[in-house]
Amino acid sequence: MVELLAKPIGGLYVHVPFCARKCLYCAFYSEPSRGEVIDRYIGALIRELERVAGDLRPRTIFIGGGTPSLLNLRQWEQVFRATERLPLSGVTEWTVECNPATLSLDKARLLRSGGVNRVSLGVQSFDDTLLDRLGRVHSRQMAFHSFDLLRQAGFENVNLDLMFAIPGQTLAAWRQTLAEATAMGSEHLSTYEVIYEEDTPLYEQLQAGKIEANEDLACAMYEELVQRVASAGFQQYEVANFARARNTNNQLPTNDYPSLACRHNVNYWRGGSFYGLGPSATTYVRGVRTKNHPNTQLYCEQLELSRRPLESREELAPLARAAETAAFGLRMVAGWPFELFERVTGYDLRREWAEDMNQLVQQDRARILPDRFQLTREGLRFADAAAELFLR
Ligand SMILES: C[S@@+](CC[C@H](N)C(=O)[O-])C[C@H]1O[C@@H](n2cnc3c(N)ncnc32)[C@H](O)[C@@H]1O
Ligand code: SF4
């Protein structure tokens, strides 16, 4: 009965577990594709969508991966026929992640006409040598070309993903990529410091002493990033995310983030619920976290047998849930408004985490304002360490 009366879920993530080739640093679940495997995956995905459709009223949809833009036109049409069964009238932001090597004008137009209104383009760098070093399948020229195709197809909200602290990358090379990225006129930038994930070729190169990680250089690159993109008209609203402070018709800015911020991710950082479909995807609904099998074959088999493709299920105690919510939300520049935190979690940040907040304030990594708690610029650089304190 409670479930029936509960508010439908507003966030939908879909994981597409295929890539043309695996990048050397990437530990996300994806594999090089074959046509028939993709077709089988789409059939299974549609079954999974049907299972949850009744509990979904999406405000944001994010189709990520993997490389969603690897799907061909016919496969995208199948996906759109399935999503048409959802109540889509409330969707304000619908993002698809695209790799520059896999876009055509026809595909970009099909995505736009299917209702997608935001594209996240995996550019990573405008330096061809560094793109090779990362094992990317595209060149800088393809990134420029894809961006033009997206504009031609009518996309007015485009994000560029950029990576920094790439082995061999100099500060000058990073400056050059930042200059070229900001000159392109995208609405949003997401930036990623290279993480050496275990079981990746890049990690093995590090272990073998073939490359070195330079923490001081990474800090200098982050500083450069924050300054350069601010002077190019972007507003930082999260540790590594920046949006143009431009207004749009249907998205009003809030006090906490610009109108072109990625609303889907804001929902994650603010402790909101979401369904995650596809192999390896995580769902977080009404305090229960489930994770799908990170194995496309097993995922398909389970759904074909009308079973849920779950690898794990975890029900967090309310305080543990609140701690996670606190930790995630601190990544936002606006921090946590006390009132909002209490509304989302039922706990008072000032009562439960007073000691941790004071510790960060003493280290100049955070400040307590009358209405909220937020990290300082220094604190944002070390947001993961701050989050650890809250997690206990
Ligand atoms: C999961 S990928 C999806 C985008 C798309 N597959 C692409 O790469 O073009 C999202 C972003 O995560 C970042 N990423 C993945 N693995 C990373 C790592 N080990 N370190 C830093 N960033 C990483 C990349 O910048 C990538 O654009
Ligand atoms: S970074 Fe993107 S394209 Fe590269 S392997 Fe990971 S998901 Fe695939």
Side-chain angles (χ1 to χ4, degrees):
M1 193 61 184
V2 173
E3 289 287 301
L4 284 179
L5 293 174
K7 230 170 95 188
I9 303 304
L12 172 62
Y13 173 77
V14 174
H15 191 77
V16 180
F18 308 107
C19 290
R21 185 176 79 204
K22 201 73 199 161
C23 302
L24 299 176
Y25 54 86
C26 182
F28 284 91
Y29 176 64
S30 69
E31 59 194 358
S33 60
R34 271 177 295 129
E36 66 272 25
V37 178
I38 302 185
D39 284 339
R40 188 176 177 198
Y41 154 80
I42 290 176
L45 177 69
I46 292 170
R47 281 172 176 247
E48 197 186 15
L49 186 66
E50 281 164 355
R51 290 186 78 104
V52 300
D55 192 29
L56 259 173
R57 192 156 307 146
R59 286 189 295 275
T60 64
I61 301 178
F62 196 107
I63 305 191
T67 307
S69 51
L70 206 62
L71 303 193
N72 62 30
L73 300 182
R74 177 183 55 77
Q75 290 160 337
W76 270 112
E77 274 161 7
Q78 275 181 281
V79 171
F80 288 133
R81 272 201 297 278
T83 50
E84 265 165 21
R85 288 176 230 157
L86 292 172
L88 291 176
S89 58
V91 175
T92 54
E93 180 190 279
W94 185 343
T95 305
V96 170
E97 280 183 335
C98 294
N99 182 305
T102 55
L103 260 182
S104 63
L105 187 55
D106 282 351
K107 204 179 280 183
R109 284 193 172 135
L110 178 66
L111 293 177
R112 188 70 195 93
S113 64
V116 177
N117 60 10
R118 184 174 186 271
V119 162
S120 178
L121 193 62
V123 169
Q124 320 309 350
S125 174
F126 285 113
D127 182 320
D128 278 332
T129 311
L130 294 177
L131 288 173
D132 275 351
R133 187 156 296 166
L134 293 171
R136 299 287 299 179
V137 287
H138 60 88
S139 62
R140 63 180 255 118
Q141 215 43 52
M142 286 182 198
F144 289 128
H145 181 59
S146 298
F147 187 78
D148 289 345
L149 293 183
L150 291 170
R151 289 301 201 213
Q152 274 182 56
F155 283 98
E156 294 176 351
N157 193 357
V158 178
N159 167 60
L160 307 181
D161 276 354
L162 297 177
M163 292 174 78
F164 65 97
I166 302 167
Q169 188 180 32
T170 60
L171 194 54
W174 176 229
R175 275 195 195 119
Q176 180 65 22
T177 279
L178 282 175
E180 297 195 85
T182 50
M184 275 169 86
S186 75
E187 284 66 34
H188 195 281
L189 291 175
S190 291
T191 60
Y192 299 82
E193 178 176 343
V194 168
I195 299 171
Y196 291 90
E197 301 276 6
E198 272 184 51
D199 297 328
T200 61
L202 206 67
Y203 179 81
E204 279 159 26
Q205 289 173 22
L206 183 74
Q207 293 298 98
K210 291 184 187 153
I211 50 176
E212 272 180 24
N214 182 338
E215 184 55 26
D216 291 341
L217 182 57
C219 279
M221 288 182 175
Y222 183 73
E223 279 303 309
E224 192 71 22
L225 162 71
V226 171
Q227 281 173 22
R228 295 238 162 185
V229 300
S231 52
F234 286 90
Q235 183 181 332
Q236 182 179 14
Y237 67 98
E238 194 263 353
V239 173
N241 281 281
F242 307 82
R244 284 208 194 270
R246 188 194 302 157
N247 218 336
T248 54
N249 290 336
N250 57 353
Q251 298 278 47
L252 291 175
T254 74
N255 288 335
D256 284 357
Y257 48 86
S259 56
L260 289 162
C262 176
R263 305 284 169 134
H264 186 79
N265 286 341
V266 167
N267 181 52
Y268 290 152
W269 294 316
R270 288 296 193 217
S273 290
F274 55 90
Y275 275 105
L277 312 184
S280 83
T282 299
T283 289
Y284 180 65
V285 164
R286 302 183 188 102
V288 178
R289 181 181 299 127
T290 53
K291 184 173 190 270
N292 283 350
H293 289 294
N295 177 323
T296 303
Q297 188 174 334
L298 200 54
Y299 168 84
C300 293
E301 275 168 16
Q302 293 297 303
L303 282 155
E304 286 158 6
L305 292 167
S306 297
R307 297 197 191 125
R308 293 185 72 187
L310 294 189
E311 181 195 52
S312 62
R313 181 185 188 281
E314 182 187 20
E315 188 156 0
L316 293 175
L319 185 59
R321 209 195 303 173
E324 273 199 11
T325 306
F328 267 148
L330 281 184
R331 298 184 60 85
M332 292 192 68
V333 173
W336 264 117
F338 297 122
E339 201 197 304
L340 177 63
F341 185 78
E342 191 156 357
R343 217 179 323 132
V344 174
T345 67
Y347 288 90
D348 186 344
L349 200 63
R350 286 164 292 193
R351 182 172 310 171
E352 298 294 337
W353 286 276
E355 237 175 75
D356 311 288
M357 292 197 321
N358 285 327
Q359 185 179 327
L360 288 168
V361 170
Q362 275 157 24
Q363 297 166 342
D364 285 335
R365 289 193 174 184
R367 58 178 86 88
I368 300 173
L369 301 175
D371 72 325
R372 68 185 62 220
F373 175 69
Q374 63 187 192
L375 297 184
T376 57
R377 197 160 147 176
E378 165 85 358
L380 283 170
R381 171 79 186 104
F382 299 102
D384 289 343
E388 284 292 318
L389 273 183
F390 284 75
L391 286 175
R392 323 196 190 131

Short mmCIF file of all heavy atoms in Angstrom, two decimals, residues 186-211:
data_model
loop_
_atom_site.label_atom_id
_atom_site.label_comp_id
_atom_site.label_asym_id
_atom_site.label_seq_id
_atom_site.Cartn_x
_atom_site.Cartn_y
_atom_site.Cartn_z
N SER A 186 30.51 25.40 -25.90
CA SER A 186 29.58 24.43 -25.30
C SER A 186 28.93 25.04 -24.06
O SER A 186 29.45 26.00 -23.49
CB SER A 186 30.32 23.14 -24.92
OG SER A 186 31.08 23.34 -23.75
N GLU A 187 27.83 24.45 -23.65
CA GLU A 187 27.08 24.98 -22.51
C GLU A 187 27.64 24.45 -21.18
O GLU A 187 27.35 24.99 -20.12
CB GLU A 187 25.61 24.58 -22.59
CG GLU A 187 24.80 25.37 -23.61
CD GLU A 187 25.23 25.11 -25.05
OE1 GLU A 187 25.62 23.97 -25.36
OE2 GLU A 187 25.17 26.07 -25.85
N HIS A 188 28.41 23.35 -21.26
CA HIS A 188 28.79 22.66 -20.03
C HIS A 188 30.14 21.99 -20.21
O HIS A 188 30.48 21.56 -21.31
CB HIS A 188 27.71 21.60 -19.74
CG HIS A 188 27.72 21.03 -18.36
ND1 HIS A 188 28.62 20.07 -17.95
CD2 HIS A 188 26.95 21.29 -17.28
CE1 HIS A 188 28.38 19.75 -16.69
NE2 HIS A 188 27.37 20.48 -16.24
N LEU A 189 30.90 21.90 -19.12
CA LEU A 189 32.16 21.14 -19.12
C LEU A 189 32.18 20.21 -17.92
O LEU A 189 31.89 20.65 -16.79
CB LEU A 189 33.36 22.09 -19.00
CG LEU A 189 33.70 23.01 -20.16
CD1 LEU A 189 34.85 23.95 -19.77
CD2 LEU A 189 34.08 22.21 -21.41
N SER A 190 32.51 18.94 -18.17
CA SER A 190 32.76 18.00 -17.06
C SER A 190 34.22 17.60 -17.15
O SER A 190 34.68 17.20 -18.23
CB SER A 190 31.92 16.73 -17.19
OG SER A 190 30.57 17.01 -16.99
N THR A 191 34.93 17.71 -16.06
CA THR A 191 36.36 17.45 -16.11
C THR A 191 36.71 16.30 -15.17
O THR A 191 36.07 16.11 -14.13
CB THR A 191 37.14 18.71 -15.71
OG1 THR A 191 36.77 19.07 -14.38
CG2 THR A 191 36.86 19.85 -16.66
N TYR A 192 37.70 15.53 -15.57
CA TYR A 192 38.06 14.32 -14.81
C TYR A 192 39.57 14.25 -14.65
O TYR A 192 40.29 14.23 -15.67
CB TYR A 192 37.61 13.06 -15.57
CG TYR A 192 36.13 12.96 -15.80
CD1 TYR A 192 35.52 13.62 -16.86
CD2 TYR A 192 35.34 12.18 -14.96
CE1 TYR A 192 34.16 13.53 -17.07
CE2 TYR A 192 33.97 12.07 -15.18
CZ TYR A 192 33.40 12.74 -16.23
OH TYR A 192 32.04 12.63 -16.45
N GLU A 193 40.04 14.23 -13.42
CA GLU A 193 41.46 13.93 -13.20
C GLU A 193 41.64 12.43 -13.43
O GLU A 193 40.81 11.62 -12.97
CB GLU A 193 41.83 14.29 -11.76
CG GLU A 193 43.27 13.97 -11.44
CD GLU A 193 43.68 14.42 -10.04
OE1 GLU A 193 42.98 15.26 -9.42
OE2 GLU A 193 44.70 13.90 -9.55
N VAL A 194 42.68 12.04 -14.12
CA VAL A 194 42.88 10.61 -14.41
C VAL A 194 42.95 9.81 -13.10
O VAL A 194 43.68 10.17 -12.17
CB VAL A 194 44.19 10.40 -15.20
CG1 VAL A 194 44.57 8.92 -15.25
CG2 VAL A 194 44.03 10.94 -16.62
N ILE A 195 42.16 8.77 -13.04
CA ILE A 195 42.21 7.84 -11.90
C ILE A 195 42.84 6.55 -12.42
O ILE A 195 42.42 6.02 -13.46
CB ILE A 195 40.80 7.55 -11.35
CG1 ILE A 195 40.14 8.84 -10.87
CG2 ILE A 195 40.84 6.52 -10.22
CD1 ILE A 195 38.67 8.67 -10.53
N TYR A 196 43.83 6.07 -11.69
CA TYR A 196 44.48 4.81 -12.09
C TYR A 196 43.67 3.67 -11.50
O TYR A 196 43.83 3.31 -10.35
CB TYR A 196 45.94 4.80 -11.62
CG TYR A 196 46.77 5.81 -12.36
CD1 TYR A 196 46.89 7.12 -11.89
CD2 TYR A 196 47.36 5.48 -13.57
CE1 TYR A 196 47.61 8.07 -12.59
CE2 TYR A 196 48.08 6.43 -14.29
CZ TYR A 196 48.20 7.72 -13.80
OH TYR A 196 48.90 8.66 -14.51
N GLU A 197 42.75 3.16 -12.30
CA GLU A 197 41.85 2.09 -11.85
C GLU A 197 42.55 0.75 -11.99
O GLU A 197 43.13 0.46 -13.05
CB GLU A 197 40.58 2.07 -12.72
CG GLU A 197 39.79 3.36 -12.71
CD GLU A 197 38.84 3.46 -11.53
OE1 GLU A 197 38.87 2.59 -10.65
OE2 GLU A 197 38.08 4.45 -11.49
N GLU A 198 42.45 -0.05 -10.93
CA GLU A 198 43.06 -1.39 -11.00
C GLU A 198 42.52 -2.16 -12.20
O GLU A 198 41.40 -1.92 -12.64
CB GLU A 198 42.73 -2.17 -9.72
CG GLU A 198 43.74 -1.90 -8.62
CD GLU A 198 43.49 -2.73 -7.39
OE1 GLU A 198 43.33 -3.96 -7.50
OE2 GLU A 198 43.44 -2.11 -6.30
N ASP A 199 43.31 -3.08 -12.68
CA ASP A 199 42.92 -3.91 -13.83
C ASP A 199 42.75 -3.12 -15.12
O ASP A 199 41.99 -3.52 -16.01
CB ASP A 199 41.60 -4.68 -13.55
CG ASP A 199 41.79 -5.66 -12.42
OD1 ASP A 199 42.90 -6.18 -12.28
OD2 ASP A 199 40.82 -5.88 -11.67
N THR A 200 43.39 -1.98 -15.21
CA THR A 200 43.41 -1.28 -16.51
C THR A 200 44.86 -1.23 -16.99
O THR A 200 45.79 -1.22 -16.17
CB THR A 200 42.88 0.17 -16.41
OG1 THR A 200 43.72 0.92 -15.52
CG2 THR A 200 41.44 0.22 -15.92
N PRO A 201 45.06 -1.17 -18.31
CA PRO A 201 46.44 -1.08 -18.82
C PRO A 201 47.20 0.12 -18.27
O PRO A 201 48.40 0.04 -18.01
CB PRO A 201 46.23 -0.97 -20.34
CG PRO A 201 44.92 -1.64 -20.59
CD PRO A 201 44.07 -1.33 -19.39
N LEU A 202 46.50 1.24 -18.05
CA LEU A 202 47.21 2.43 -17.54
C LEU A 202 47.74 2.17 -16.13
O LEU A 202 48.84 2.60 -15.78
CB LEU A 202 46.26 3.64 -17.54
CG LEU A 202 46.97 4.99 -17.64
CD1 LEU A 202 47.64 5.16 -18.99
CD2 LEU A 202 46.00 6.13 -17.41
N TYR A 203 46.96 1.48 -15.33
CA TYR A 203 47.37 1.13 -13.96
C TYR A 203 48.62 0.23 -14.02
O TYR A 203 49.57 0.43 -13.27
CB TYR A 203 46.22 0.42 -13.26
CG TYR A 203 46.52 -0.01 -11.85
CD1 TYR A 203 46.45 0.90 -10.79
CD2 TYR A 203 46.86 -1.33 -11.56
CE1 TYR A 203 46.72 0.50 -9.50
CE2 TYR A 203 47.13 -1.74 -10.27
CZ TYR A 203 47.05 -0.82 -9.23
OH TYR A 203 47.32 -1.20 -7.95
N GLU A 204 48.59 -0.71 -14.95
CA GLU A 204 49.75 -1.61 -15.08
C GLU A 204 51.00 -0.84 -15.49
O GLU A 204 52.09 -1.10 -14.97
CB GLU A 204 49.45 -2.72 -16.09
CG GLU A 204 48.64 -3.83 -15.47
CD GLU A 204 47.90 -4.67 -16.50
OE1 GLU A 204 48.37 -4.74 -17.65
OE2 GLU A 204 46.85 -5.24 -16.13
N GLN A 205 50.82 0.13 -16.37
CA GLN A 205 51.98 0.96 -16.77
C GLN A 205 52.54 1.72 -15.56
O GLN A 205 53.75 1.87 -15.41
CB GLN A 205 51.57 1.96 -17.85
CG GLN A 205 51.28 1.32 -19.20
CD GLN A 205 50.71 2.33 -20.20
OE1 GLN A 205 50.87 3.54 -20.05
NE2 GLN A 205 50.02 1.84 -21.21
N LEU A 206 51.63 2.18 -14.70
CA LEU A 206 52.06 2.91 -13.49
C LEU A 206 52.82 1.96 -12.56
O LEU A 206 53.90 2.29 -12.05
CB LEU A 206 50.83 3.50 -12.78
CG LEU A 206 51.11 4.35 -11.55
CD1 LEU A 206 51.67 5.72 -11.97
CD2 LEU A 206 49.83 4.59 -10.74
N GLN A 207 52.24 0.78 -12.36
CA GLN A 207 52.87 -0.21 -11.48
C GLN A 207 54.25 -0.62 -11.98
O GLN A 207 55.17 -0.87 -11.21
CB GLN A 207 51.99 -1.48 -11.37
CG GLN A 207 50.68 -1.28 -10.66
CD GLN A 207 50.85 -0.83 -9.22
OE1 GLN A 207 50.77 0.35 -8.91
NE2 GLN A 207 51.12 -1.76 -8.33
N ALA A 208 54.37 -0.68 -13.31
CA ALA A 208 55.64 -1.11 -13.91
C ALA A 208 56.66 0.03 -13.98
O ALA A 208 57.76 -0.16 -14.48
CB ALA A 208 55.37 -1.67 -15.31
N GLY A 209 56.26 1.21 -13.49
CA GLY A 209 57.18 2.35 -13.49
C GLY A 209 57.36 2.98 -14.86
O GLY A 209 58.28 3.78 -15.06
N LYS A 210 56.47 2.65 -15.80
CA LYS A 210 56.62 3.22 -17.15
C LYS A 210 56.09 4.65 -17.21
O LYS A 210 56.45 5.42 -18.08
CB LYS A 210 55.87 2.35 -18.17
CG LYS A 210 56.53 1.00 -18.37
CD LYS A 210 55.81 0.22 -19.48
CE LYS A 210 56.38 -1.19 -19.54
NZ LYS A 210 55.43 -2.14 -20.05
N ILE A 211 55.16 4.95 -16.30
CA ILE A 211 54.65 6.33 -16.22
C ILE A 211 54.63 6.73 -14.75
O ILE A 211 54.67 5.87 -13.86
CB ILE A 211 53.23 6.47 -16.81
CG1 ILE A 211 52.29 5.39 -16.23
CG2 ILE A 211 53.24 6.42 -18.31
CD1 ILE A 211 50.86 5.53 -16.69
#
